[in-house]
Amino acid sequence: MPGAPYSRRMITASALGSFALIVALLTLTPGIDTALILRTAVLGRRTRAWGVVLGIQTGTLVWGALGALGVTAVLTASHLAYTALRWAGACYLVWMGARMVWSTLRRSGGTAAEPAAETDSGDGFWGGWRRGALTNLLNPKVGAFYMAVLPQFVPEGGAVAHLASGLLLAGVHIALGVLWAGALIAFARTFRDTLRRPRARRVLDRAAGTVIAAFGVRLAFGE
């Protein structure tokens, strides 16, 4: 069928390659995920950093499933639903970023030594997983991306076929995301001793907090 090269019963290798290229470019683009992973890898334990990574990828898997089933069409069609989720995500990001910056101001005003590890509540794998999942699931632009892109690659068939195809494509996205996150964590851990010094930690926290809060503001007021 002209204009529908992927309207088959099974996803072709060509379709998988094209989708992988799109999500690879998306994954490599610096954003909220990159800032969150780097900051956690430097200041937190390795298990917490991987918790953040897998939380983000859990959100990707959920959005992929919802996109394949057409549920995200409701989100993109309903201005109210999209706006509500957008503001919830924006508030969460601004709160997270402001909390990071505020903690540096509070520490700089005291004389106690800096803690050796991440002191956020919920430290550990599940605390990181929760933060990563919330960051991803409260970002409606991820849902809009899957709604716009997935139908071009999901072949014809019923709901089960659509779900299986969506999970397969999301799996490609997740695999690339995990590989990139592994590289980010390895990079951050290389410079961990230097970046965890009190002065360097304050600079890193302020930079990461500002970036995350700025993403929240952009999500709230951007088109």
Side-chain angles (χ1 to χ4, degrees), residues 63-86:
W63 281 121
L66 295 178
L69 294 175
V71 176
T72 53
V74 177
L75 177 65
T76 55
S78 171
H79 178 71
L80 178 61
Y82 186 90
T83 300
L85 186 58
R86 186 181 68 178

Side-chain angles (χ1 to χ4, degrees), residues 95-145:
W95 171 82
M96 187 195 309
R99 188 163 174 256
M100 291 179 188
V101 174
W102 172 249
S103 69
T104 66
L105 298 175
R106 186 175 56 187
R107 288 197 303 266
S108 62
T111 58
E114 298 273 345
E118 178 75 48
T119 57
D120 289 347
S121 60
D123 193 12
F125 177 86
W126 291 111
W129 181 88
R130 184 169 58 250
R131 174 169 286 187
L134 283 174
T135 300
N136 189 285
L137 291 173
L138 289 176
N139 187 355
K141 292 187 177 182
V142 180
F145 166 80

Side-chain angles (χ1 to χ4, degrees), residues 10 17 19 53 61 73 77 81 89 91 133 148 164 174 179-180 209 215 217:
M10 296 180 63
F19 182 80
V53 172
L61 184 65
C91 290
I174 289 169
L179 289 174
W180 177 238
F215 271 105
V217 173

